[in-house]
Amino acid sequence: MSGTPFGPLKRIDAGLLNVAYADVGPADGPPVLLLHGWPYDIHSFVEVAPLLVERGYRAIIPYLRGFGTTRFRSEDTLRNGQQSVVAVDAVALLDALGIEQALIAGFDWGARTADIVAALWPERCRALVSVSGYLIGSQWVGAQPLPPPAELQWWYQYYFATERGRVGYGRYRHEFAKLIWHTASPRWEFDDAVFEASASALDNPDHVAIVIHNYRWRLGLADGESEYDELEAQLAEGPAITVPTITLEGDANGAFHPDPSVYATKFTGPYAHRTLEGGIGHNIPQEAPDAFATAIVDVGGW
């Protein structure tokens, strides 16, 4: 693999994927699985990982399906982006690496995935750090209308529901991602080099298909796979998360996010919420790496 800020990436067959991932820190250190969101990539954790390694943790940072150099093992596999399957990927990666239990932390798609693993497979999740809290949803929830200002924040979801949106995202994915970065983190002054380091991950040949399926599935405009129906039924019930958890929110998050009071009761184990001040937006690991790493270390000690 070519070099990255984490050093050369590793590869491993895990479930349906051949996963490309960074693996830094002592091999016998407490494992932390760091999960990125959309339209971001593993570079969101470029400053978090060294902070964890300094504390003796082993940081594992995979490209999600449809991102970077992660690939499907079969051309015949449906390019499925529904919420449960991304969590199944995470568990399959832990299995492939021989890790029984990890602390799991993420934002955006990564936070939703971490929430799902913690809810459905709590024995695999030592503790949880979740940006924007409880993000588990369902197609029924996705079908419920929101007040107009909230719907406006989801404009791209409706764009992706059209053929024009699918073609447009495929043609302008870098420009699209930069727009999302700016709107989701309006006070984050990232430069072109920082953006381009992550934007290249969107050139994955499966990326557009995964993203479009993810958002269409949320609205009930695309079917999932029947083998995940039972998992989705469990998630539709809004299961409680019992593992130790810290949720984080930025005071300048421009992406749609629930108020922390809405989801606090979903975390029934040891729990704390932290709102980060100073113009912190959606991509907390990259905008406030010290706070993100501190939350991991703190919850890992509970």
Side-chain angles (χ1 to χ4, degrees):
M1 296 294 300
S2 60
T4 73
F6 306 103
L9 298 185
K10 298 182 178 181
R11 304 198 70 92
I12 194 168
D13 286 341
L16 298 174
L17 303 174
N18 179 257
V19 179
Y21 66 103
D23 190 345
V24 296
D28 60 351
V32 180
L33 183 62
L34 300 173
L35 301 173
H36 69 80
W38 170 87
Y40 307 92
D41 83 326
I42 63 175
H43 287 81
S44 291
F45 303 104
V46 72
E47 293 184 58
V48 170
L51 297 172
L52 296 176
V53 171
E54 288 175 2
R55 299 295 296 268
Y57 285 90
R58 175 188 179 190
I60 299 158
I61 315 164
Y63 279 116
L64 302 186
R65 58 168 56 198
F67 291 80
T69 46
T70 287
R71 296 290 186 270
F72 285 89
R73 297 172 64 187
S74 171
E75 289 300 320
D76 297 328
T77 302
L78 178 68
R79 273 40 178 176
N80 181 352
Q82 71 185 102
Q83 63 176 353
S84 61
V85 76
V86 187
V88 169
D89 291 344
V91 173
L93 178 60
L94 295 178
D95 288 343
L97 293 173
I99 296 173
E100 289 297 321
Q101 190 179 63
L103 195 156
I104 308 178
F107 74 104
D108 197 84
W109 287 21
R112 178 175 295 105
T113 301
D115 288 348
I116 292 171
V117 175
L120 298 187
W121 299 282
E123 71 281 0
R124 308 305 299 273
C125 184
R126 163 67 185 82
L128 172 68
V129 173
S130 178
V131 173
S132 297
Y134 189 91
L135 297 179
I136 296 171
S138 68
Q139 289 182 316
W140 181 86
V141 170
Q144 305 310 304
L146 299 170
E151 297 284 14
L152 180 62
Q153 291 180 300
W154 284 114
W155 67 270
Y156 54 87
Q157 186 168 239
Y158 302 104
Y159 182 61
F160 289 162
T162 69
E163 179 62 12
R164 179 187 179 96
R166 185 191 68 78
V167 174
Y169 185 58
R171 183 177 301 170
Y172 300 112
R173 66 186 83 175
H174 286 211
E175 295 88 343
F176 198 101
K178 182 173 282 191
L179 175 61
I180 295 295
W181 280 37
H182 280 300
T183 56
S185 299
R187 293 174 61 184
W188 180 29
E189 297 180 356
F190 60 87
D191 60 25
D192 288 343
V194 167
F195 174 75
E196 291 300 334
S198 289
S200 62
L202 312 183
D203 296 330
N204 181 301
D206 301 307
H207 179 75
V208 173
I210 293 294
V211 171
I212 296 301
H213 186 267
N214 176 284
Y215 287 102
R216 290 184 180 179
W217 179 87
R218 295 191 200 192
L219 294 177
L221 302 177
D223 293 331
E225 293 178 272
S226 60
E227 64 189 280
Y228 305 111
D229 285 353
E230 183 177 344
L231 295 180
E232 294 295 350
Q234 294 178 59
L235 296 174
E237 295 295 321
I241 292 176
T242 60
V243 306
T245 300
I246 292 177
T247 57
L248 300 173
E249 190 56 84
D251 66 343
N253 185 1
F256 178 80
H257 58 281
D259 186 272
S261 63
V262 172
Y263 54 71
T265 59
K266 287 295 187 180
F267 299 96
T268 60
Y271 173 68
H273 174 78
R274 299 174 181 176
T275 296
L276 308 182
E277 299 181 349
I280 304 303
H282 189 59
N283 183 1
I284 287 180
Q286 205 161 2
E287 297 177 61
D290 289 336
F292 193 82
T294 295
I296 290 170
V297 172
D298 288 351
V299 79
W302 291 358

